[in-house]
Amino acid sequence: MKLYNLKYRNEKVSFLQAVKMGLGKRQGLFFPINLPLIKENRLKEMLEMDFLTRSVKILSMFIGDEIKLTELEKYVRNAFSFPGPMIIPVTNNISCCELFHGPTLAFKDFGARFMAQILSHLNKKNNITTILTATSGDTGAAVAHAFYKAKNVRVIILYPHGKISKLQEALFCTLGKNITTIAIQGSFDECQELVKKAFHDNQLKKATGLNSANSINISRLLAQICYYFEAYALINRNNQKKLVISIPCGNFGNLTAGLIAKSMGLPIKSFIASTNINDTVPRFLKTGKWEPNNCVSTISNAMDISRPNNWPRVEELFFRNKWKLNDLGFGSVSDDVTKNTLCELKQLGYISEPHAAVAYRLLKDQIQPDEYGLFLGTAHSAKFKNIVDDILQENIKLPIELEKPSKFPLLSYYMKPDFNKLKEFLLFKS
Ligand SMILES: *Cc1c(COP(=O)(O)O)cnc(C)c1O
C-alpha cells in the first residue's frame, strides 16, 4: 500500500514506513492513496467469517505483500486476543456496541495492540526502540499493556500529575519492566509539548530510536476498521439496511475508521459525530468556520480535545467519496445533560459511562423511526467509577483488570516540565 502525506502529496511512503514515521513533513498525516473496495458478493462472504479471519482479510487488503500473510495472521491473533465487540440492546431500536473488553478496558486496545505487533515486526534487527507518548488517561494504559515485556522496546509515558483518575494511573504506572511512567508536574498540554520537543531533537531521536504511539499512527487506525465490520455482521439483517452509528469523538480516529469501512463498501447508512462541549467540529459543521476554543475539562475527559488531529482524514474521505459533509450527523452535549443521560440509561437497565452517554444522547435525539442505531461504548464504566457511582448512586464492581493493579505500588518518576531533564533521563537513566 502506498500512502501520501495529506499536506504534501509528493511525499509517498509504504505502510511500514508510515508506521515507523508516524507523521510526514510539516506534521502531515499519512493516508492511503487508494482505498480497497469490496464487491457486494465478496462482502457477503466476508460477513460470514469469524472476527479474526475477517480482520486478517481486511488488513491484508491494505498491507498487501509488505508483510507475509502467515505473519500478518499471527499479528492479528496476538493483537485481538480478547473478546471483540459486543452488541447490547438498550431500547427497541438502539444498542450499545461495546468495544471495551480488552486488557485496559477501552477501545484503544484494538489499535495500540496491533501497532505494537507491527513495530515489533519492524524491529527484528535488535535495535532498541523507545516509545515516548503523552497521555490524558486511556492511551497510556493501552500503549503500556500493548508493549509490556516486548523485546527491545522501552516505553516512556508522560502524564499530568494528579490529573488522571487513580484507577487510570494504577492501570499503567504499576507495571515496571520495560514500562517507565513519569508524572509531570504540569498539564497534559505540557506533557505533549515535551514529546514534541523530543521528536525535534535529532541527537535524542538517533540515540534512543524514538517512536511515538499516538493516535495519528496509521496502524492504529486500520486496526479499528475491523470492529465496524464485526458490529455490522452481529446485528440482524433487517437492521443492517438502516444502520446509524453514533461515535463519541475526541481526536476523531474512531470516526475516521468507520468512514473508511463505509468507503470500502460496508453499507452503513450514516454516522453521528458526537462531542462534549469541546465542540470545534459540530460548530464547524454548522457554520463552516474552524474556530477551536480553549480546551475545557469535562466528565468525558478522553474527549477534551479542541483541535482534533484526524479531521483532515475525515475531510479527505468525504471529498474522495463525493459524500456531502451535510450528511454527517453531529452534536455536542454538556456535562449536565450527560449526567441526566446516564440516569436515563440506568432506568433502561444499562449502566454506562460519560463518553458513551454523549453518543447515546445524540443518537436518541436524532434517530428516525425507520432507523436502527448503535452508539459506541468506548470504555468500561468501572474506569470512571468515582463519577459514575456518584451520579447513579451505584457501587460499580471493579473488574479484575482494575482491581489487581489498584493494590500495587505506583512506580512513577516525578519531573518538572523541563525538556533538558527529560532528555537526560531518556539518554542515561532508563
Ligand atoms: C480516546 C477516547 C475517545 C475518543 O476517540 P477518538 O478516536 O480520539 O475520537 C472516546 N472515548 C474514550 C473512552 C476514549 O478513551
Side-chain angles (χ1 to χ4, degrees), residues 25 30 101-102 122 185 253 287 338 340 361:
K25 279 183 206 161
F30 288 118
H101 298 286
L122 280 166
Q185 278 135 11
T287 66
T338 306
N340 291 338
R361 179 75 277 141

Side-chain angles (χ1 to χ4, degrees), residues 259 262 285 317-319 321-329:
L259 291 168
K262 177 169 168 144
L285 291 169
L317 278 156
F318 272 82
F319 175 75
N321 289 295
K322 301 193 175 66
W323 297 333
K324 291 197 208 78
L325 264 181
N326 283 341
D327 293 337
L328 180 60

Side-chain angles (χ1 to χ4, degrees), residues 107-108 138 248-254 302-303 355 378-379:
F107 79 102
K108 296 209 167 69
D138 288 329
C249 294
N251 250 335
F252 283 74
N254 213 351
M303 292 148 72
H355 305 80
T378 43

Side-chain angles (χ1 to χ4, degrees), residues 24-44:
K25 279 183 206 161
R26 287 198 271 149
Q27 310 279 307
L29 299 165
F30 288 118
F31 199 80
I33 297 174
N34 295 303
L35 288 168
L37 251 182
I38 305 170
K39 294 215 174 78
E40 229 177 288
N41 51 350
R42 177 70 182 137
L43 179 69
K44 239 187 211 153

Side-chain angles (χ1 to χ4, degrees), residues 384-397:
F384 304 92
K385 176 175 167 60
N386 288 349
I387 195 146
V388 176
D389 278 358
D390 194 42
I391 297 167
L392 299 181
Q393 305 297 310
E394 281 281 329
N395 183 11
I396 295 178
K397 198 176 167 311

Side-chain angles (χ1 to χ4, degrees), residues 92 235-244 371-372:
N92 64 332
I235 63 176
N236 143 339
R237 206 158 279 176
N238 274 332
N239 294 332
Q240 287 178 339
K241 282 179 240 139
K242 42 189 184 172
L243 174 62
V244 180
E371 291 175 336
Y372 173 80

